[in-house]
Amino acid sequence: ALVLKKVLGSVFKGAGGIQGYRGQILHFLEDPHTAKDIDKAYEFIQDGVLVVKGGKVVCCGEAKAVLKQYRGLPVTDHSQYIMCPGFVDCHIHFPQVDMIGAYGEQLLEWLQKYTFPTEEKFKDKAYAAKVADVFLDEMLRSGTTSALVFATVHKASTDALFEAAERRNMLIIAGKVMMDRAPFAPPNLFQEAKECHADCKELIDKWHGKGRSLYAVTPRFAITATSEQLQLCGELMREYEGKGIYMHTHLNENKDEIDLAKGLHDKDSYLDIYAHAGLLGPRSVFAHCVHMNDLDYGAMTSSRSVAAFCPTSNLFLGSGFFDIKTAWQKKLRFGLGTDVGAGTSFCHLQTLNEAYKVSQMQGVKLDALNAFYIATLGSAAALSLDERIGNFKVGKEADFVCLDARSTPLMTHRTDRERCRDLLDKLFVLMTIGDDRAVAATYVAGKCVMSTERFKKRNAWF
């Protein structure tokens, strides 16, 4: 059984106290794929202590040295777990938790049959708030502490999501979805472009930079957006450029989608639709990027735009394979996305499992070091958050997870010393046969917000 510790109000009182966490510490210092010395790209401390004060990292090192430096430090023993930074999700839909696992369609039909009818319910803020609690608790249960999130077209749903994230002190980037092109935007999700623009400005002023909340301008995709709406999105990006807002949409996911988008906007390239509206840039995140050409790669890399690699979704909808080899070769910035609800798991361990298979199908071996980098510091960097989260450098916000490589009988058997050669072998087992059961606990800003019953029995302090 799994227990979620609700982070409501008074939980964070007294959070300024210093606390140590002792365990097997893993974090990344740079990208292993581009590092000159791969051994310097990451740090693994078999017996380490992470010291947290006021929600931030103040020290991380070998237990013997840290405990000598911080005499009398209260320490929580997580020595049976691998402690790593919280997972970062670069693309996920909050309302689609209601329809995850919906059968039998590809993208455009799936949206009309399942997604749009589901999202219509979120005009009711009370309903949206209940689902937001489920959604964020499921993220935490899966070890994800930060995410870039689609809400719905309704201001109420966006407020509900931010309010729920604020109660949990989570670092969330989110935005109200923008849809103004009939008939592709159904009547109950249609909003005139200027009215939507005004709503977005209100939400940006209300939420962006409040606590750990950040805002993303969120046109759903070019098929449900008129040129006027996309131009207004560009105006928002320019108006708030100095405040670091984001742009979040979809690109080159499905071949029928691409053809329809190009026809509606009379462009030779899907990406050029967004480029024409001024929507490319270092805080612009394009989900999927499956069917790319050299011009697409060139435009995205030159603008430092970001792709979200969503392997479980791309497989589930039959969309195609993200080309990680070319992304590396072209120096495309990218991070990992679950894309729930086309994605079938909130857990990055299972998402890495599918990423490995997608890469294998294209002749690329995604090793455990590169995989765990992508899920943590790599995705933080893709979201321009690597100065805040993603590893355990001093001053970083202390979001982390405790991973249990013995969480199931099979994993206990497989990770026995006789069968598991080294750290990389153990990490690979975690990312292939591990799932949310392997997430023993999740910490947000140094506070435990989720733990399993098994974890609680081992840690009487909780």
Side-chain angles (χ1 to χ4, degrees):
L2 185 140
V3 175
L4 290 169
K5 181 181 179 184
K6 304 294 184 180
V7 185
L8 301 172
S10 62
V11 171
F12 290 97
K13 291 181 180 178
I18 194 166
Q19 178 69 41
Y21 302 94
R22 187 170 188 167
Q24 305 165 51
I25 294 175
L26 171 70
H27 69 138
F28 291 85
L29 306 175
E30 59 178 308
D31 186 347
H33 185 74
T34 57
K36 293 181 179 179
D37 184 348
I38 196 168
D39 290 333
K40 293 181 180 179
Y42 71 101
E43 186 174 34
F44 179 68
I45 308 171
Q46 181 67 45
D47 182 19
V49 173
L50 177 69
V51 183
V52 177
K53 183 178 182 181
K56 294 189 176 182
V57 175
V58 295
C59 184
C60 180
E62 296 283 351
K64 185 176 180 180
V66 173
L67 295 177
K68 183 178 180 180
Q69 180 181 354
Y70 292 88
R71 296 189 184 277
L73 175 73
V75 176
T76 301
D77 181 14
H78 294 334
S79 55
Q80 65 271 53
Y81 304 122
I82 295 174
M83 293 166 48
C84 75
F87 298 134
V88 179
D89 195 331
C90 290
H91 179 64
I92 188 169
H93 294 255
F94 131 62
Q96 292 181 21
V97 67
D98 278 9
M99 45 159 290
I100 188 171
Y103 169 76
E105 305 294 347
Q106 292 207 348
L107 175 64
L108 297 180
E109 298 79 13
W110 181 83
L111 288 170
Q112 295 292 337
K113 185 174 181 179
Y114 300 114
T115 305
F116 294 159
T118 295
E119 293 192 1
E120 289 176 9
K121 300 175 185 177
F122 286 75
K123 64 184 178 183
D124 179 347
K125 186 175 180 182
Y127 182 84
K130 289 179 181 178
V131 178
D133 284 336
V134 173
F135 172 78
L136 292 176
D137 285 349
E138 194 65 27
M139 280 179 52
L140 292 170
R141 197 173 71 83
S142 299
T144 298
T145 53
S146 297
L148 176 59
V149 187
F150 263 64
T152 69
V153 300
H154 313 100
K155 282 177 66 179
S157 79
T158 313
D159 280 329
L161 177 62
F162 276 126
E163 288 164 7
E166 186 177 48
R167 289 194 297 272
R168 291 159 177 80
N169 200 27
M170 294 175 70
L171 199 172
I172 293 293
I173 311 167
K176 169 185 147 34
V177 175
M178 309 167 78
M179 299 169 63
D180 79 325
R181 181 186 283 272
F184 305 102
N188 288 339
L189 296 178
F190 177 94
Q191 186 182 27
E192 190 273 330
K194 290 181 180 177
E195 179 185 349
C196 183
H197 176 267
D199 284 350
C200 289
K201 283 179 63 67
E202 288 183 21
L203 288 165
I204 293 168
D205 292 338
K206 180 177 182 179
W207 287 110
H208 187 69
K210 182 185 179 187
R212 302 184 78 194
S213 297
L214 298 169
Y215 196 87
V217 175
T218 310
R220 179 170 225 113
F221 63 166
I223 290 171
T224 54
T226 62
S227 296
E228 179 188 12
Q229 182 164 84
L230 293 176
Q231 291 295 331
L232 289 172
C233 289
E235 287 184 16
L236 286 171
M237 294 302 293
R238 289 187 290 275
E239 181 178 352
Y240 291 94
E241 183 178 8
K243 295 186 177 181
I245 66 167
Y246 293 78
M247 196 287 301
H248 185 197
T249 192
H250 299 85
L251 174 70
N252 290 343
E253 179 178 0
N254 171 285
K255 290 182 178 179
D256 290 341
E257 167 214 16
I258 294 168
D259 290 342
L260 180 56
K262 291 192 298 184
L264 289 172
H265 290 270
D266 193 25
K267 297 290 183 186
D268 294 329
S269 160
Y270 191 172
L271 182 62
D272 193 45
I273 299 168
Y274 299 121
H276 184 72
L279 295 179
L280 276 61
R283 291 176 184 261
S284 295
V285 180
F286 296 91
H288 305 298
C289 298
V290 170
H291 305 285
M292 301 278 282
N293 58 39
D294 286 342
L295 292 175
D296 293 333
Y297 283 115
M300 287 191 67
T301 55
S302 64
S303 62
R304 301 191 68 246
S305 298
V306 176
F309 176 17
C310 306
T312 69
S313 168
N314 298 151
L315 292 172
F316 183 75
L317 293 179
S319 300
F321 300 150
F322 179 81
D323 187 347
I324 194 170
K325 181 178 180 180
T326 301
W328 275 332
Q329 289 175 341
K330 301 285 188 180
K331 296 182 171 55
L332 175 68
R333 296 173 68 211
F334 71 91
L336 192 66
T338 61
D339 193 28
V340 166
T344 51
S345 175
F346 279 80
C347 187
H348 265 6
L349 297 176
Q350 278 299 293
T351 307
L352 290 174
N353 180 15
E354 300 306 314
Y356 173 78
K357 296 170 188 174
V358 164
S359 301
Q360 274 280 62
M361 289 294 293
Q362 300 172 90
V364 177
K365 298 177 182 179
L366 179 61
D367 63 84
L369 282 183
N370 277 290
F372 273 82
Y373 166 80
I374 292 169
T376 56
L377 182 61
S379 287
L383 297 182
S384 301
L385 294 173
D386 48 319
E387 293 299 315
R388 296 180 60 177
I389 59 171
N391 62 19
F392 296 138
K393 286 186 176 182
V394 173
K396 293 289 186 76
E397 295 164 25
D399 297 341
F400 63 97
V401 295
C402 296
L403 299 178
D404 185 358
R406 300 170 64 85
S407 58
T408 67
L410 175 60
M411 291 186 69
T412 299
H413 175 81
R414 177 62 178 85
T415 57
D416 186 275
R417 289 182 182 179
E418 295 180 5
R419 301 175 185 87
C420 204
R421 299 184 304 274
D422 53 25
L423 171 67
L424 299 190
D425 199 14
K426 183 180 288 187
L427 293 176
F428 190 72
V429 170
L430 272 167
M431 69 177 256
T432 50
I433 63 172
D435 54 27
D436 54 286
R437 291 171 293 178
V439 180
T442 304
Y443 284 77
V444 170
K447 304 298 291 187
C448 188
V449 295
M450 184 287 295
S451 74
T452 61
E453 286 286 2
R454 188 178 182 198
F455 176 94
K456 287 180 68 176
K457 289 175 182 178
R458 290 178 174 177
N459 297 275
W461 63 272
F462 184 84

